[in-house]
Amino acid sequence: MHRTPAKEPKHGPVFQFMRSQHLFRAETVLRAVTGLRAMTAVGAALIMVLLLLASVQGAGLQSAQRGMHAPIKPTEQVPLASSHGEEEREIYGQLAQTVTSFIGEWLVTLDDHTPITVVLTPKTDVRKFKKRLPEPGTWLKAEGILLPDGRLDARRVRPDDSEPNQVVVRLKPSADPNATVQALATEYEMSVRAVLTSANIYLFITREDEEEKITHLLSDDRVWWAELNRVSRVPTGSPYRTWKWGSPADSSYVNQQAFEQVNLAPVAGVISGTDVTVAILDTGVDLEHPALVEALDVISGSDMISDTDRPDDIGPGAAWGHGTHVAGIIHAIAPAARIMPLRVLDTHGRGNTFILAYAIEYAAQQGADVINLSLGADCDSRTLTETIAAVVAQGVVIVAAAGNDASPIPTCPASLPGVIAVAAVDEQRVRTSWSNYGPWVTLAAPGEGITSTFPLGYATETNISPGYASWSGTSMATPFVTAAAALVLEQRSAGKIQASVLEQLTTHGIDISALNPLPYSVGRHLDIAAALVLDEPQEPPAVSHALYLPSVLRR
């Protein structure tokens, strides 16, 4: 392809994790110097300076050589120890109904769609809501004691919109960045967890309230900006929970109507995405799925949730299979493209913007030509905005889901400059009732009842026909466009197309404005064959048909 992967960056991996023993070395030195009471003040100060210089240089050198060593995974739902010997729980879920007070019972729906009652008392810490009651659908994190009747006696409840005790900071250029970051860590009692070296962006862990820490950092002359580490998620909404199961054979996957809708037949077997690498940033991919295994390009450090080299799509969880399903759509349209899975969301579909920004940068560093983002993140994240801008400037194509909220409000990363935003339409090319819309949407593609690959392990646990399933959402529409981008890139590399991928796909898309009048515009409809240069008309492949089993609603 036109981009050469940089497997060994000049300064080590673009994203470096730093171990705690190096982060607190400056504090150890200070404690040691304080203990030298017999020395003169001048002598102690001189030794402190020398030791600090050695510490900073050693930490910088070792961190650059080390690469990734510790995960920056999002907070998980795990039992916690209580000072009274009772089991304390952390839960994540969405507020299920309107609440009128910060005292009383709140009904919360967990990731697996199980309801739980959270009991708030005058002692419950709700400061993060800033005296504003949350609306139904708001994601929450609650900590407390699980009562015998199944309710949660909450010690703390907060919006689950950012990672607690984490701050993302971009430093201004300096002669010695290592010294600057170590000085900040010491002065503000923080530790460095990770760094995006290309942009001088650091993830700090703080013992104190992260918002208070940001307030102080913003007034520091060494800091360009500081922000919360926002949570990112698989797009939710009504289509997210609806499943339809088919035969374990792939006939209904290969021959589904959606491929005809995007005009794939004239291209099949002619242009296939040769020498193009597509990165899928999602819940991972079933690494053993027979339809995908030969197409996978698994790179080191690609599971950023569990910090392993195996980005497997594992469960159980509400988002189990999401990445595998996305991968199958891409592979069906661009079968020769290499698929690079990076796991940035856990099995419940939860991640954070720092992980996402790192994965985007790392994928580009490892040679990805197209990046599929069937997920959503906070639009206020400068970390994500600046990372995407840098990667797009390198020529990498980024395609993202518009979201499933039936809303015209721009979502991110889909609405960021240079990103191709994808909405979902039905078989008649009419916007689905749940797809987002608006002038910020670039293209529309099929997103309702899409059949694709699914983890074999799910079938084993649920006694369902293995290997394939149908799912709806803008997450499913997005990989149609991602795969089309891979086909365009193949022809751009061969000199047959001069326009950019964005220009080529939009210019040759089908005008569906009459079917989706304002304000419900969703851009042009994807037309794969029209966007490519075909030497001769091709005979469409024979089509077979298969019946589906009844729909299943996961609860």
Side-chain angles (χ1 to χ4, degrees):
M1 261 305 297
H2 59 288
R3 299 184 61 254
T4 302
K7 298 292 184 181
E8 297 181 1
K10 181 178 179 181
H11 301 292
V14 70
F15 183 79
Q16 299 168 355
F17 292 97
M18 299 184 175
R19 288 188 185 274
S20 59
Q21 59 260 38
H22 300 296
L23 307 179
F24 294 103
R25 189 175 294 177
E27 295 179 15
T28 304
V29 172
L30 289 173
R31 286 196 297 269
V33 172
T34 303
L36 299 176
R37 300 181 183 276
M39 292 188 175
T40 64
V42 174
L46 178 60
I47 291 175
M48 181 179 72
V49 170
L50 292 174
L51 288 173
L52 277 172
L53 286 173
S55 171
V56 169
Q57 291 173 352
L61 176 62
Q62 292 181 41
S63 65
Q65 293 173 338
R66 228 180 5 256
M68 293 187 296
H69 285 284
I72 51 168
K73 57 188 176 183
T75 311
E76 298 175 341
Q77 301 188 52
V78 294
L80 302 174
S82 168
S83 59
H84 302 291
E86 300 168 296
E87 184 180 53
E88 185 163 309
R89 305 286 299 186
E90 279 185 359
I91 65 165
Y92 298 89
Q94 289 180 284
L95 187 63
Q97 57 188 209
T98 301
V99 294
T100 58
S101 172
F102 284 111
I103 299 175
E105 295 186 346
W106 290 8
L107 183 63
V108 175
T109 303
L110 303 182
D111 284 325
D112 62 357
H113 313 299
T114 302
I116 185 172
T117 298
V118 178
V119 181
L120 288 76
T121 70
K123 294 182 178 180
T124 303
D125 182 355
V126 292
R127 288 174 295 173
K128 287 296 181 181
F129 290 101
K130 300 177 181 178
K131 299 182 180 180
R132 289 178 293 189
L133 287 167
E135 297 180 356
T138 300
W139 283 90
L140 307 175
K141 174 186 177 183
E143 304 169 33
I145 303 298
L146 195 62
L147 300 174
D149 61 5
R151 295 181 301 161
L152 185 77
D153 184 8
R155 175 176 57 85
R156 178 185 296 117
V157 182
R158 58 173 286 162
D160 186 34
D161 55 4
S162 64
E163 299 287 11
N165 302 111
Q166 295 189 13
V167 177
V168 183
V169 180
R170 182 171 187 181
L171 301 180
K172 294 179 181 178
S174 64
D176 190 344
N178 281 337
T180 301
V181 72
Q182 292 290 356
L184 279 174
T186 301
E187 292 173 27
Y188 290 97
E189 297 182 328
M190 303 184 298
S191 59
V192 184
R193 185 67 179 274
V195 55
L196 284 161
T197 56
S198 66
N200 214 21
I201 297 174
Y202 292 81
L203 175 63
F204 287 96
I205 306 299
T206 174
R207 301 185 188 93
E208 299 176 2
D209 182 84
E210 61 275 11
E211 292 185 272
E212 293 180 8
K213 193 69 68 176
I214 287 173
T215 300
H216 295 303
L217 286 166
L218 288 174
S219 62
D220 194 301
D221 291 338
R222 295 164 292 184
V223 173
W224 207 322
W225 51 257
E227 66 181 15
L228 300 171
N229 187 13
R230 297 288 184 179
V231 169
S232 57
R233 282 190 171 87
V234 163
T236 55
S238 58
Y240 182 54
R241 299 190 299 272
T242 303
W243 300 74
K244 186 167 58 178
W245 302 94
S247 165
D250 66 354
S251 59
S252 55
Y253 158 58
V254 173
N255 300 311
Q256 60 185 304
Q257 190 273 341
F259 295 138
E260 179 181 346
Q261 187 173 328
V262 297
N263 198 15
L264 177 63
V267 176
V270 181
I271 306 166
S272 56
T274 301
D275 293 331
V276 178
T277 298
V278 178
I280 300 174
L281 279 55
D282 214 290
T283 59
V285 170
D286 183 353
L287 303 180
E288 307 299 329
H289 199 292
L292 302 174
V293 65
E294 296 298 326
L296 297 179
D297 182 10
V298 179
I299 60 175
S300 64
S302 49
D303 184 345
M304 292 147 201
I305 300 299
S306 300
D307 189 35
T308 72
D309 296 335
R310 287 186 57 82
D312 216 347
D313 195 348
I314 57 177
W320 188 10
H322 192 267
T324 302
H325 201 272
V326 167
I329 298 168
I330 293 171
H331 182 60
I333 297 172
R338 303 301 299 166
I339 292 177
M340 179 192 294
L342 287 91
R343 186 169 178 244
V344 300
L345 302 172
D346 64 19
T347 189
H348 301 290
R350 185 181 185 277
N352 62 56
T353 51
F354 198 92
I355 289 179
L356 180 57
Y358 156 54
I360 291 170
E361 190 174 75
Y362 189 56
Q365 187 75 32
Q366 296 300 309
D369 302 295
V370 191
I371 297 176
N372 187 96
L373 301 177
S374 290
L375 47 76
D378 194 281
C379 284
D380 292 330
S381 172
R382 295 185 66 173
T383 307
L384 185 60
T385 300
E386 294 183 14
T387 300
I388 285 181
V391 170
V392 168
Q394 296 172 31
V396 179
V397 179
I398 298 181
V399 187
N404 306 331
D405 303 309
S407 170
I409 299 174
T411 62
C412 290
S415 66
L416 294 178
V419 177
I420 299 175
V422 184
V425 293
D426 61 18
E427 293 184 1
Q428 306 303 317
R429 295 175 176 161
V430 174
R431 182 187 69 90
T432 61
S433 61
W434 35 262
S435 176
N436 288 350
Y437 56 90
W440 55 277
V441 175
T442 314
L443 286 166
E448 194 167 64
I450 306 302
T451 302
S452 186
T453 49
F454 204 72
L456 302 177
Y458 188 92
T460 301
E461 290 198 9
T462 57
N463 196 29
I464 295 292
S465 298
Y468 298 89
S470 292
W471 206 341
S472 298
T474 55
S475 286
M476 284 64 249
T478 301
F480 280 88
V481 177
T482 296
L487 302 184
V488 171
L489 283 174
E490 178 186 338
Q491 290 211 311
R492 272 178 55 86
S493 182
K496 293 186 176 183
I497 294 176
Q498 303 302 319
S500 68
V501 171
L502 174 61
E503 182 182 356
Q504 191 72 8
L505 292 178
T506 53
T507 300
H508 296 280
I510 300 170
D511 184 356
I512 56 172
S513 57
L515 297 172
N516 301 278
L518 294 174
Y520 302 107
S521 59
V522 288
R524 287 176 170 264
H525 190 284
L526 178 66
D527 187 330
I528 294 177
L532 299 170
V533 178
L534 300 175
D535 297 327
E536 298 178 3
Q538 303 295 316
E539 288 292 331
V543 177
S544 60
H545 300 279
L547 295 176
Y548 292 124
L549 296 176
S551 296
V552 177
L553 183 65
R554 299 185 69 208
R555 299 185 184 276

